[in-house]
Amino acid sequence: MLKDLVTRNRSYRRFYEDQPLDEQTLRDLIELARLSPSGANLQSLKFMISYTPEQNAKIYPTLAWAGYLKDWSGPDEGERPTGYILILGDTTISKSFGCDHGIVAQSMLLGAVEKGLGGCMIGSIRRRELIAALGIGEQYEVLLILALGKPKEIVQIEPLGAEGSIRYWRDENRVHHVPKRSLDDLIL
């Protein structure tokens, strides 16, 4: 059921690093992106995949993780993503990518959940550093990165507290809590 997939599709930031992803799994997720809607059907997005420890090690240091968790700089060794999908805009096709990258990112993350995986959509990227590290061509704009793997954490949805804070937090057992506004608060 779609609601179940959406509910299980959380922003996972800790993974079983000893359970690697492979090229075919990432290609299967990109196939979902390929089939997703595209503004004016331009299909101006391109993708780079990474699933080797060597390539992943070039990507990891260019990413920022969980801005609300001020005392956490990201997953420790052994808990890092085992795969990445870089979502790039091809400026030879279009100069504006609208919301296409968000649409394909959600499609791929739902596909990951269906496969028993999880991921995190990351937009906080040191882009120049990443472009240099991977030799990404100048015609491509780095839009988003999906960090992927077998989740090693529990992410729990919570009702928004009386104070109204939307800031996620971790408890003493490292359970990641995500406050969500109620449906009635969203509908005008």
Side-chain angles (χ1 to χ4, degrees):
M1 182 170 195
L2 182 58
K3 184 177 180 182
D4 180 53
L5 284 176
V6 170
T7 301
R8 291 184 332 196
N9 179 29
R10 309 307 340 137
S11 292
Y12 295 103
R13 296 176 178 91
R14 294 175 37 240
F15 304 92
Y16 288 98
E17 204 169 340
D18 61 350
Q19 296 185 30
L21 293 179
D22 59 28
E23 179 181 5
Q24 189 58 53
T25 298
L26 298 176
R27 290 179 66 90
D28 290 347
L29 296 177
I30 294 170
E31 175 68 1
L32 297 174
R34 184 184 77 81
L35 297 171
S36 295
S38 171
N41 200 33
L42 289 175
Q43 304 171 61
S44 57
L45 302 179
K46 301 292 172 74
F47 306 89
M48 288 183 75
I49 61 174
S50 177
Y51 55 91
T52 66
E54 299 77 26
Q55 183 87 340
N56 291 348
K58 294 177 184 178
I59 296 169
Y60 177 81
T62 69
L63 307 176
W65 297 84
Y68 290 149
L69 303 178
K70 299 298 181 197
D71 60 340
W72 191 68
S73 60
D76 293 329
E77 277 216 39
E79 296 185 335
R80 294 185 178 162
T82 55
Y84 294 96
I85 297 176
L86 285 67
I87 304 172
L88 310 171
D90 187 338
T91 62
T92 65
I93 298 172
S94 180
K95 303 293 184 217
S96 174
F97 307 101
C99 61
D100 284 8
H101 51 296
I103 293 168
V104 301
Q106 181 72 345
S107 294
M108 290 188 285
L109 287 173
L110 290 171
V113 169
E114 188 177 51
K115 292 177 175 289
L117 303 171
C120 187
M121 190 184 311
I122 301 175
S124 186
I125 305 159
R126 288 186 288 288
R127 285 169 170 79
R128 283 192 210 115
E129 215 177 293
L130 178 70
I131 288 166
L134 299 182
I136 297 172
E138 64 185 43
Q139 84 237 39
Y140 300 110
E141 183 179 332
V142 177
L143 302 172
L144 288 172
I145 294 181
L146 299 185
L148 298 157
K150 179 77 174 167
K152 190 178 184 174
E153 66 182 336
I154 296 169
V155 179
Q156 188 171 318
I157 296 174
E158 304 282 349
L160 205 63
E163 76 289 343
S165 176
I166 47 83
R167 291 179 177 261
Y168 48 79
W169 54 280
R170 290 211 174 124
D171 66 23
E172 63 280 354
N173 296 318
R174 297 176 70 181
V175 172
H176 191 88
H177 298 268
V178 181
K180 291 288 186 182
R181 299 180 199 285
S182 73
L183 182 60
D184 288 337
D185 287 341
L186 299 179
I187 299 174
L188 302 180

